[in-house]
Amino acid sequence: HLQRTTRRDVSLLLALEAQRLGGGAEASSALFSTLESAPGFLGNIGADQRAPAFTSVAVTADNHLVVGDAAGRLVQFDMATHRRLGHPVQVGDRGEQITLLATDPAGRHLVVGLDASRAIYLFDSGALSALRPEGGGSGLAVELADVPSTIAVSADGAVAVSGRDTGTVTVLDVGTGAIRATIPAAGGPTAVAIAPDGTLAIGSSEGITLFERDTYAPLASFSGDGIAAGSRTSVSARAR
């Protein structure tokens, strides 16, 4: 029988199509807003109406939509057919919601952060469909010194993770989990981003600082008044 179509159903389908045709920040924001505004309804793409609310979203290289939910599970949907793929995969401890999802620009790797866990989980996005529903070793778990607050992933596999309380940003390898550098951020990190050339940008209450790709040496600092001369940032970089 035909399901009754609601305005929220239409909004979701339009948001999915915008993401499929080109994506971008606005399309991703619209898609997440639609999912967030009506958690659990999603009848047209095969979600269980009793399922926990979706809390984060990312898109992989094979054009799959990956969402994290409030029960700590990853759920996949095919963006072309709007159908759910496989079964939800448990990440970390049951009941701890997924608050962070990030992919590299090509969508080949997926990084997952949980609400109150110091661990992040690294996945090959192409292998997600083959994972067991209850997890059990799915994804590489990397224990950090602090609960992550923001994540960015570069094209060459660098993952930048800012901590909530330590005032540092940890840079690690998405494939192995090996730590490349630990960078203190004056005022505490509030945002991280990685440019196509690998330059790392760290935002804090005192401004934004740019760091060189390989050594993570500071390049320049920006504040509300423009570029600030010099930098007092000390970087602990590890050989790769």
Side-chain angles (χ1 to χ4, degrees):
H1 65 281
L2 294 177
Q3 288 184 307
R4 181 170 59 90
T5 301
T6 68
R7 288 185 179 181
R8 290 179 298 187
D9 292 331
V10 174
S11 296
L12 176 64
L13 294 176
L14 290 174
L16 283 167
E17 188 66 11
Q19 183 71 51
R20 186 182 69 82
L21 292 176
E26 291 186 4
S28 296
S29 177
L31 179 57
F32 182 68
S33 296
T34 304
L35 292 170
E36 189 179 43
S37 67
F41 89 96
L42 294 178
N44 284 356
I45 57 175
D48 184 346
Q49 293 191 5
R50 296 169 298 176
F54 292 148
T55 54
S56 50
V57 61
V59 178
T60 64
D62 46 10
N63 211 33
H64 291 168
L65 183 72
V66 181
V67 295
D69 70 16
R73 304 179 308 168
L74 293 176
V75 186
Q76 278 199 99
F77 298 97
D78 188 308
M79 294 179 63
T81 65
H82 307 161
R83 298 291 183 184
R84 192 176 76 180
L85 301 172
H87 299 281
V89 175
Q90 189 69 46
V91 179
D93 294 331
R94 186 181 297 276
E96 191 172 4
Q97 75 176 14
I98 294 175
T99 53
L100 297 171
L101 280 181
T103 62
D104 62 293
R108 295 169 300 185
H109 300 282
L110 181 71
V111 183
V112 181
L114 301 173
D115 181 47
S117 173
R118 293 188 301 171
I120 60 171
Y121 296 82
L122 311 177
F123 292 87
D124 177 344
S125 63
L128 280 177
S129 298
L131 297 179
R132 297 194 301 271
E134 297 305 316
S138 59
L140 173 63
V142 180
E143 191 78 13
L144 303 175
D146 194 5
V147 176
S149 58
T150 57
I151 297 174
V153 189
S154 72
D156 71 346
V159 180
V161 184
S162 65
R164 290 183 186 175
D165 302 316
T166 58
T168 61
V169 171
T170 301
V171 183
L172 50 91
D173 185 274
V174 74
T176 66
I179 294 177
R180 298 184 180 184
T182 302
I183 307 170
T190 56
V192 291
I194 305 176
D197 67 358
T199 300
L200 172 64
I202 298 177
S204 72
S205 59
E206 297 189 7
I208 298 173
T209 303
L210 304 182
F211 296 86
E212 196 271 335
R213 168 181 174 172
D214 295 315
T215 65
Y216 298 104
L219 298 173
S221 296
F222 301 79
S223 66
D225 299 324
I227 300 178
S231 173
R232 296 187 298 275
T233 302
S234 172
V235 180
S236 172
R238 305 187 184 186
R240 286 188 283 174

